[in-house]
Amino acid sequence: MVDNASSLDDLSPAERRRRRIRDSILRAAERMIADQGEERLSIRRLAEEIDYSPAAIYKYFESKEELVAELQDAFFQRVLGHVDAVRHSAEPFRCRARRSVRVYIEEALHQPHHYIGAFSCVVDPQSDADQSSMKFRAFDYLVAMVREGQALGEFDAAKDPITLAKSVWACCHGAASLMAHLPHFLNGLNGEPEIGRDAFLELHADVIMAGLSTR
C-alpha cells in the first residue's frame, strides 16, 4: 500500500476520493510490475487491469515513467522513516548499524511487490533527478553510517566509505531480492535444516558487520 504524507481526515471529500483512486492505481501498478516486470507495464494495460479508461489514469499521472518514479520514491521514503528512527535512537553505534541492516530487508519483505517495483527499471546514476530521489537519499544515509563507524574506530577507516556503503547495500539488496522472489529461499537445502527469517537476518547482519569491522 502506498504511504500518504497527509491524513485523509485533513482532505475534502473530493480530495479523499481523488487520493483513493490515485492509490488504487499505484497498488495495481505495483502488482503488475511484480508479476510481469516493469517493461510490461503500460497505461493501457493498467487501465484494463483496474477497469479504468487510459484517459482517467492520465488525470493522475502524466506518463508511465512518472507513475513508476512515484512507486520507487514511496518505498524509499518509508525505509528512510524507519531507518531515521534507528539513527536517532540512544542505542550504541553497532546496535544501530545492525538494526539498519535488518530494517531495510524487513521493509522490503513487508511489501515485496513494492520493493520489486522500486528496482524495476535502470536509472542513470549521472542524472540530477535520479540523485535527488529518495533512493539516493537512502544511500546517503548508509554512507553517513559507514563514516560514523570509521570515526568511532568500529569500521576499517582505510577503505573508501562510499565503496563500503555500496557493498553493504549490495548485500542487503541481494538478500531482500532473493527472499522476495523465492519464498522457499530459507528452506533447508540438501537435507539441511531450515533457518527462520529472524535467525537468518541476525546472521546476515553479523556477516556484514564483520566485513566492515577493524577487529
Side-chain angles (χ1 to χ4, degrees):
M1 184 174 182
V2 178
D3 293 335
N4 296 293
S6 61
S7 170
L8 290 176
D9 294 338
D10 299 330
L11 305 177
S12 69
E15 290 171 328
R16 286 198 294 270
R17 180 177 181 276
R18 179 178 175 84
R19 178 66 64 83
R20 284 194 294 268
I21 293 173
R22 198 171 190 276
D23 287 352
S24 70
I25 293 171
L26 288 166
R27 285 193 295 269
E30 280 182 354
R31 291 193 300 271
M32 290 185 67
I33 288 172
D35 293 341
Q36 305 172 31
E38 190 269 335
E39 68 281 356
R40 294 280 293 164
L41 178 68
S42 69
I43 297 297
R44 179 185 62 79
R45 288 171 59 84
L46 180 58
E48 293 174 354
E49 178 77 12
I50 58 178
D51 198 24
Y52 282 17
S53 69
I57 295 178
Y58 280 119
K59 289 180 182 178
Y60 298 89
F61 301 96
E62 294 183 359
S63 65
K64 168 187 141 177
E65 289 71 26
E66 179 185 330
L67 191 157
V68 171
E70 176 145 347
L71 286 176
Q72 294 173 334
D73 268 13
F75 170 76
F76 284 101
Q77 186 173 29
R78 189 171 68 244
V79 169
L80 277 172
H82 287 284
V83 169
D84 197 51
V86 174
R87 182 181 186 182
H88 291 97
S89 73
E91 293 178 302
F93 171 77
R94 289 185 75 85
C95 293
R96 287 187 283 115
R98 287 174 56 83
R99 281 185 62 200
S100 295
V101 169
R102 287 199 55 143
V103 160
Y104 180 92
I105 299 174
E106 286 170 344
E107 276 302 307
L109 300 178
H110 177 64
Q111 289 183 309
H113 285 188
H114 203 158
Y115 183 72
I116 294 167
F119 286 94
S120 63
C121 61
V122 177
V123 298
D124 178 3
Q126 303 306 317
S127 164
D128 290 338
D130 290 333
Q131 294 198 19
S132 66
S133 70
M134 287 291 176
K135 185 182 296 186
F136 280 89
R137 284 181 60 189
F139 179 68
D140 286 343
Y141 166 75
L142 184 54
V143 174
M145 184 194 79
V146 171
R147 285 179 169 149
E148 182 183 359
Q150 290 176 320
L152 292 171
E154 295 284 353
F155 295 163
D156 188 351
K159 294 186 171 62
D160 174 52
I162 294 176
T163 303
L164 285 178
K166 288 178 179 178
S167 180
V168 173
W169 193 4
C171 291
C172 293
H173 176 66
S177 294
L178 284 169
M179 295 170 76
H181 283 93
L182 301 175
H184 304 296
F185 175 68
L186 298 181
N187 287 1
L189 302 176
N190 300 321
E192 296 173 357
E194 177 180 352
I195 182 172
R197 192 174 87 172
D198 284 346
F200 177 79
L201 292 181
E202 283 297 305
L203 174 62
H204 195 62
D206 284 342
V207 170
I208 291 175
M209 292 299 105
L212 295 169
S213 180
T214 57
R215 301 170 188 167

